[in-house]
Amino acid sequence: MPDSTFSWNERAGRFRDASGRFVPEAKVRSGVDAVVDAASQRASNLAKDLREGRINLEQFRDGMFQAIKDVHIASALSAYGGKQAMNESKWGFVGSQIKAQYMYARGMLNDIISGKQAMNGRLDQRAIMYMEAARTTYETIRLREGLKRGVTQVRNILHAKESCDQCKGLTGDGWMDADKMIPIGARQCLSRCACTLEMRILRAAA
């Protein structure tokens, strides 16, 4: 979530701190990562509680759905510029991202009931994936909003210690037209992608 002392500059699509200086993108993303990490621990704890009989499947479902909603809203607000920047259209997009994760989570629940999903550490990792997808929500919104502001080119920045070949290849390609970039979350590593996108606006020569 954005710091309460930050203000949003709509034209630049960036936060300013109390002194009026732009907040580094890396600092905002670091805050998103912290929220995602906390949500991932929350999901892991829920899965462990289910496996060890401290909660039932209904409680697990409710806890997962609430955690999904919380983390995706927090990530979206960081990308959009806080609650004051929200409108009906933006909330609608956030809702679509949350509903998609609910659908995947329901698949997990069905697999638990059928016995397809083993009640071991793999359940924990699967539950965490729906929280990690909030990074995709954040980066997707950043790009969507950047395009509205006239962004023409993007480049991929690696952050994970181990990245998929697709992310490595895109990073090696450097700057490219924004419409040619494979979106974060749609690559081999799916929701586990930890990459970020750097954006710029190139004006056509007069």
Side-chain angles (χ1 to χ4, degrees):
M1 288 290 289
D3 190 297
S4 60
T5 64
F6 293 170
S7 60
W8 182 249
N9 184 295
E10 185 65 34
R11 184 175 181 179
R14 295 181 63 183
F15 287 102
R16 291 185 184 274
D17 61 22
S19 67
R21 291 174 296 189
F22 282 123
V23 178
E25 294 285 0
K27 183 174 182 178
V28 179
R29 174 55 190 257
S30 178
V32 171
D33 287 339
V35 170
V36 171
D37 289 345
S40 296
Q41 185 60 58
R42 183 176 172 185
S44 179
N45 291 342
L46 283 166
K48 185 176 180 180
D49 285 345
L50 177 66
R51 290 192 288 107
E52 297 182 358
R54 286 185 289 274
I55 60 174
N56 59 33
L57 190 60
E58 182 177 356
Q59 291 170 317
F60 175 66
R61 178 202 64 197
D62 291 348
M64 283 293 299
F65 280 12
Q66 189 61 56
I68 287 170
K69 181 179 180 180
D70 291 345
V71 72
H72 283 269
I73 287 178
S75 294
L77 291 179
S78 295
Y80 277 129
K83 288 184 179 179
Q84 71 279 1
M86 299 299 287
N87 57 34
E88 185 175 352
S89 176
K90 291 175 181 177
W91 280 120
F93 181 74
V94 178
S96 71
Q97 298 297 99
I98 293 171
K99 287 178 181 178
Q101 295 307 312
Y102 283 174
M103 180 185 70
Y104 297 138
R106 288 190 184 97
M108 174 180 62
L109 293 167
N110 289 335
D111 287 347
I112 292 172
I113 292 170
S114 69
K116 184 178 178 180
Q117 173 61 60
M119 297 292 282
N120 55 25
R122 292 184 179 180
L123 173 63
D124 304 37
Q125 292 304 310
R126 188 171 178 181
I128 287 171
M129 286 176 60
Y130 310 127
M131 309 303 153
E132 292 179 328
R135 292 191 179 95
T136 298
T137 293
Y138 173 76
E139 291 295 337
T140 298
I141 292 171
R142 282 189 66 239
L143 181 57
R144 282 167 57 95
E145 294 300 295
L147 292 173
K148 291 177 184 178
R149 290 190 296 273
V151 163
T152 57
Q153 289 193 322
V154 297
R155 66 176 175 179
N156 196 71
I157 307 297
L158 290 179
H159 294 285
K161 293 180 180 178
E162 295 183 7
S163 298
C164 73
D165 291 340
Q166 208 164 22
C167 289
K168 291 177 182 177
L170 289 168
T171 300
D173 289 339
W175 289 102
M176 67 180 70
D177 291 344
D179 62 355
K180 290 183 171 59
M181 176 62 71
I182 299 173
I184 288 174
R187 304 171 186 174
Q188 294 168 348
C189 48
L190 300 174
S191 65
R192 294 192 178 277
C193 188
C195 292
T196 60
L197 294 179
E198 187 175 351
M199 297 177 274
R200 69 182 181 184
I201 299 172
L202 288 185
R203 304 294 185 187

